[in-house]
Amino acid sequence: MALNAKIPQGEMDKKWSDYKGHVKLVNPANKRKLEVIVVGTGLAGASAAASLGELGYKVKAFCFQDSPRRAHSIAAQGGINAAKNYQNDGDSVFRLFYDTVKGGDYRAREANVHRLAEVSTSIIDQCVAQGVPFAREYGGLLSNRSFGGTQVQRTFYAAGQTGQQLLLGAYSALERQVALGNVKMYSRHEMLDVVKIDGKARGIIARNLINGETERHFGHAVLLCSGGYGNVFYLSTNAMGSNVTAAWKAHKKGAFFGNPCFTQIHPTCIPVSGDHQSKLTLMSESLRNDGRIWVPKQKGDNRKPQDIPEEERDYYLERRYPAFGNLVPRDVASRAAKERCDEGYGVGTTKMAVYLDYKDAIMRYGRIEAGKTGQDNADDKTIFSLGRSVVEEKYGNLFEMYEKITGENPYLTPMRIYPAVHYTMGGLWVDYELQTTVPGLYALGEANFSDHGANRLGASALMQGLADGYFVIPYTLGNYLADEIRTSSIATEHEAFVNAQKEVNDRLNRLINIKGNQTVESFHKRLGKIMWDKCGMARSAEGLKHAIAEIQALKKEFWSDVKIPGDINEFNPELDKAGRVADFIELGELMCLDALDRNESCGGHFREESQTEDGEAKRDDDNYAYVAAWENKGENGWQLHKEDLNFEIVKPTQRSYK
């Protein structure tokens, strides 16, 4: 099957406006007859449901939490990118586009990225109008800070809780449409299958997580906004409920899965503390703005960080990448931390951590504040106190969170950080219109593969989710639905719905009746260990082959020995979790297969066989400048389709941040 990305003709900076000018439209009276299903109500889902409801479509929104306010988007801390150039430091739409393609190691589709950069500026205006309390400068203008992979300040933020504030904005817009009757909300519902009729997506089977009943729901189109699959690694920065099930069910019904091996390792997480940990906590990348990352120059140095003098510290990012310093992209910073720890320079009890130090920033800000108030002869204690107040205002809730988790005061002792799984760049393959290979089935936000290539720049996740929901899907979905206005609602008694529901129920019955001896959690943990060890920060052909065999064996064991207490027709979180872990096991195999097939290093995908002399990722543009789109062929079977990436503007070169 040839992959048609439907990229509009013409110059890069005119593609999106030309597309909008020629797209098919649905008149207001017809919109009221069309039903749209939105699965997931994080930033992408809530913004899409609100926007489509506002346009007049009949929308059904499904969320597995008790409220959209609990979507994992809420956990995003540091900010959202936009090319507004408020700082007058040389930013532009082109530069955001360029940074994103380069940051993704030249494995993203240029047209999608350019559109993202274009609409980024509108997102900020939209959110300000909704009342999102972005940080402001003294004079009232919106404030910006830097994130990795850029040399400008383009990240808008609301303290260390940007995701929460943006989600509340989208949630308010969504709830307004719910109150007006344009959106019907189904909370505590999980999508367990896509219903196809004559090759088109026409609805879903969802399970009511409170009473266990499965339900049939019709829609002229289905939008999957269900987030990423980082929890395939068990330990990640994702909320524990985050899963791949919605996207995976779509994949098994014919939607190709794009670049599954591209996962993001975030360099600034609180290190693993023991075997009983169920998730990891992220310390925002915004902390790399002012914090300096270092390790002792001496191996196995057990002194307290305060006792290690300046000349005995290795600020290794500043040493290796002088142009970007502590603000190199996430994949580069993560590998550099791993390399130092592997070489024996790690700190803390596990020696799998590096320091993130705020002392210099506190003193710098303190001197500025002292100067403002004419305290020219202030002593170090006064300067520290003044500087601490500035840092507290900028990053206070992050420092508080760190202290609550570790029991250490990060104003006085440097934070300890280590890389951890964070975001997934892979996802369902979509074309320029965000449509999957199944007509009428769309994927938005982190659920699709489209905009970040092999590595996502910090503060671009919130940008993509809101761009897709507020500014892209209202146009592209209309283009599809314009041809559906003669399709009246299909009754859910249709045999396709009946058969899909029966398949879902049969699988649930099969799971509950295994009655084995091992918990769902234990299988998830074992899968996570295989994935992290062999398909994590570094991958090798030998390791990946072992991983595939181990995962296949784990799958057999799971389906013969998992223990799920309780019953189907009741509130049963263990059963919900079992279904998700079963999907993770299958996804894990595909991820390793994709990683094995991509015999190059790029972004977060680091093949040990493919590195430069100084340990950087070594791409192979001649053989791998494509999106790997995998078609499901049944049990343990996939077929690879390739979408060649053509770079008209940003010519691939060896990435350098030196």
Side-chain angles (χ1 to χ4, degrees), residues 360-376:
D360 286 0
I362 291 172
M363 297 304 283
R364 186 178 75 249
Y365 284 125
R367 281 189 283 273
I368 293 168
E369 291 303 302
K372 282 183 191 173
T373 52
Q375 300 181 55
D376 298 337

Side-chain angles (χ1 to χ4, degrees), residues 251-318:
H251 173 56
K252 298 194 86 162
K253 278 286 169 82
F256 292 5
F257 211 102
N259 295 338
C261 79
F262 286 169
T263 54
Q264 171 143 84
I265 312 293
H266 197 296
T268 50
C269 295
I270 297 177
V272 176
S273 60
D275 290 341
H276 301 291
Q277 208 165 344
S278 52
K279 79 176 292 293
L280 295 170
T281 303
L282 175 69
M283 298 310 299
S284 168
E285 178 164 311
S286 60
L287 294 171
R288 289 204 275 147
N289 243 311
D290 285 315
R292 298 180 72 195
I293 293 169
W294 64 276
V295 291
K297 284 183 178 175
Q298 191 181 314
K299 285 188 185 183
D301 192 331
N302 290 321
R303 287 177 291 174
K304 289 180 180 171
Q306 301 92 318
D307 297 338
I308 300 175
E310 194 69 17
E311 62 276 8
E312 292 178 35
R313 299 177 177 192
D314 177 16
Y315 294 93
Y316 59 87
L317 291 176
E318 297 170 33

Side-chain angles (χ1 to χ4, degrees), residues 370-385:
K372 282 183 191 173
T373 52
Q375 300 181 55
D376 298 337
N377 300 315
D379 59 11
D380 283 358
K381 191 176 175 186
T382 306
I383 289 171
F384 185 87
S385 174

Side-chain angles (χ1 to χ4, degrees), residues 122-200:
S122 304
I123 295 170
I124 304 302
D125 299 339
Q126 167 93 0
C127 295
V128 169
Q130 288 172 339
V132 172
F134 285 121
R136 293 179 181 267
E137 304 287 4
Y138 180 73
L141 295 175
L142 296 181
S143 182
N144 295 111
R145 55 191 179 199
S146 300
F147 263 59
T150 70
Q151 289 178 305
V152 297
Q153 288 185 291
R154 66 161 69 99
T155 304
F156 294 77
Y157 63 98
Q161 47 179 261
T162 315
Q164 180 175 1
Q165 298 303 334
L166 291 171
L167 186 65
L168 289 173
Y171 172 72
S172 306
L174 172 62
E175 285 303 307
R176 179 169 177 267
Q177 296 306 316
V178 171
L180 292 170
N182 299 327
V183 176
K184 185 164 172 50
M185 195 69 221
Y186 292 85
S187 57
R188 304 297 286 152
H189 278 67
E190 180 166 32
M191 179 199 122
L192 292 182
D193 211 352
V194 175
V195 179
K196 279 168 67 177
I197 298 175
D198 299 329
K200 293 180 177 178

